[in-house]
Amino acid sequence: MSTLEKLPVTVITGFLGSGKTTLIRNLMQNPQGKRLAIVVNEFGDVGVDGEILKSCAIPDCPEENIMELSNGCICCTVADDFIPTIEALMALEPRPEHIVIETSGLALPKPLLKAFDWPDIRSKITVDGVIALADAEAVADGRFATNVAAVDAQREADDSLDHETPLSEVFEDQVSCADIVLLTKPDLAGPEGVAKAKAMVLAEAPRVLPVVEVAEGVVDPRVILGLEAAAEDDMNNRPSHHDGHHDHEHDDFESVVIDLPEQADPAALAARIEKMAKEQNILRVKGYAAVEGKPMRLLVQAVGARVRHQFDRPWKPEEGRQGRMVVIAEHDDVNVEAIRAALVD
């Protein structure tokens, strides 16, 4: 690629636990000859996603091409974090041919697109496309999209209820900004759930969008890379609930980090997380745990009450087998002592 050409950037957005890291891991393993660079934006200070991707580094995407930002939403820290990171990636030798940005699950993509108009980089990079992931089962259940009939029924029962929750706004903004929507975890939704989720996504989309069913993050890179959307020049066709705002707030959500002692049984830990999620309206749990008698680290990922865990790699000597979990929920549902009691006591 000539240095006079703009470097393409793909933005991967999607709600908490929709499968963004799994998708990027598959892209890294099948880059079709492109030298990739990855930027991961975590919510909370436990770098789970960045750790997973670094463990998958290959010659076309070595570990030094994977950068992690955990100081807050990258669209809110443009000058301090985002621009220096992009400039550092562009200065690598050999230079990356494509940058992939994984946003936080709470991120609004449109403010991030505006960051690409920053004077230091706007002549050097372009947004090749915005890819939004949506958990088919969750969307089909109406958890992250507006259900007009249900809202009307709720209003009849209680005029004080407001159906426009922060979760629905995040979902709608991500879909509205997308060039392609990937429906993930179709096996959990089933054919009827996938069809329902697709209809709900298209109902939220401000224009006709491709909606592609994807299992385990496996998709032909040609489907999502090389779109040449120049999204930074197409802002008017990507409406947002926050248009007209000079900034946006993340105060609707809160993350809590809990240190864990060694665990006797991974299944028992998973059961406690499931119970906590149901009782305390927890959106997301991710992190690591040490298991007694096991040299491998236990990776834990939960979306709502759906918990997955696996041993991912040996503990490093400097880590001291210290388990940590980041728990994310809407602000009013966060009770630190109750969360700690559910996980530790």
Side-chain angles (χ1 to χ4, degrees):
M1 179 177 62
S2 167
T3 56
L4 297 178
E5 295 177 358
K6 288 188 176 184
L7 182 64
V9 177
T10 294
V11 176
I12 308 289
T13 187
F15 202 77
L16 296 157
S18 59
K20 299 184 296 297
T21 303
T22 301
L23 174 71
I24 295 174
R25 184 172 58 196
N26 278 285
L27 283 177
M28 290 170 58
Q29 294 171 344
N30 183 29
Q32 298 197 336
K34 291 183 180 291
R35 288 193 303 275
L36 299 180
I38 312 295
V39 178
V40 181
N41 186 206
E42 295 269 30
F43 190 87
D45 61 359
V46 178
V48 176
D49 297 343
E51 276 275 331
I52 293 172
L53 294 177
K54 287 178 181 178
S55 71
C56 301
I58 61 173
D60 280 328
C61 187
E63 188 169 335
E64 60 266 25
N65 283 30
I66 304 169
M67 295 195 176
E68 185 177 354
L69 301 176
S70 58
N71 294 329
C73 173
I74 50 180
C75 55
C76 299
T77 58
V78 174
D80 293 336
D81 291 319
F82 179 60
I83 300 303
T85 297
I86 295 296
E87 290 178 329
L89 290 175
M90 290 192 295
L92 289 173
E93 290 293 343
R95 187 187 187 204
E97 296 174 306
H98 203 114
I99 297 175
V100 177
I101 298 177
E102 177 190 348
T103 70
S104 153
L106 304 176
L108 304 176
K110 190 168 182 178
L112 174 57
L113 295 191
K114 293 178 180 178
F116 287 87
D117 197 39
W118 197 262
D120 291 344
I121 62 170
R122 63 186 177 189
S123 64
K124 302 174 185 176
I125 60 176
T126 182
V127 182
D128 181 70
V130 178
I131 314 301
L133 276 64
D135 182 321
E137 182 188 36
V139 174
D141 287 346
R143 281 179 268 169
F144 308 132
T146 302
N147 184 322
V148 176
V151 169
D152 288 341
Q154 287 176 324
R155 281 179 170 169
E156 289 177 8
D158 187 346
D159 291 336
S160 68
L161 290 177
D162 181 3
H163 72 280
E164 196 65 69
T165 68
L167 298 186
S168 67
E169 287 191 9
V170 171
F171 173 79
E172 291 160 15
D173 275 20
Q174 290 173 347
V175 169
S176 295
C177 200
D179 295 289
I180 293 179
V181 175
L182 304 183
L183 284 180
T184 62
K185 307 176 185 178
D187 55 317
L188 298 177
E192 291 185 3
V194 169
K196 183 178 180 181
K198 183 175 182 179
M200 294 175 72
V201 167
L202 292 175
E204 295 294 346
R207 59 196 184 284
V208 178
L209 286 180
V211 180
V212 180
E213 187 177 329
V214 172
E216 298 297 332
V218 178
V219 62
D220 190 322
R222 293 172 296 181
V223 174
I224 59 176
L225 302 182
L227 302 182
E228 299 183 357
E232 70 276 15
D233 297 327
D234 186 40
M235 302 293 280
N236 291 337
N237 291 319
R238 302 167 191 264
S240 165
H241 286 279
H242 298 80
D243 284 342
H245 293 233
H246 294 294
D247 53 18
H248 63 279
E249 299 295 335
H250 296 272
D251 293 342
D252 295 318
F253 305 96
E254 186 172 340
S255 67
V256 177
V257 177
I258 303 294
D259 290 336
L260 291 183
E262 285 200 2
Q263 302 293 304
D265 181 11
L269 174 62
R272 293 201 305 275
I273 292 173
E274 179 180 351
K275 183 173 185 288
M276 176 187 70
K278 290 177 179 178
E279 294 179 350
Q280 301 185 44
N281 297 319
I282 301 301
L283 299 174
R284 188 82 160 93
V285 179
K286 56 183 180 177
Y288 308 106
V291 179
E292 294 174 2
K294 301 292 184 181
M296 301 287 285
R297 188 179 66 174
L298 187 73
L299 170 65
V300 180
Q301 300 262 28
V303 182
R306 198 166 68 218
V307 186
R308 300 175 67 177
H309 57 85
Q310 66 187 67
F311 290 103
D312 69 330
R313 65 163 174 80
W315 285 96
K316 297 176 182 178
E318 66 271 17
E319 290 174 324
R321 295 177 62 86
Q322 176 60 63
R324 300 184 81 197
M325 293 289 157
V326 58
V327 179
I328 304 172
E330 293 189 69
H331 179 77
D332 291 344
D333 289 325
V334 172
N335 181 322
V336 177
E337 293 309 314
I339 290 171
R340 181 174 288 107
L343 292 177
V344 178
D345 296 346

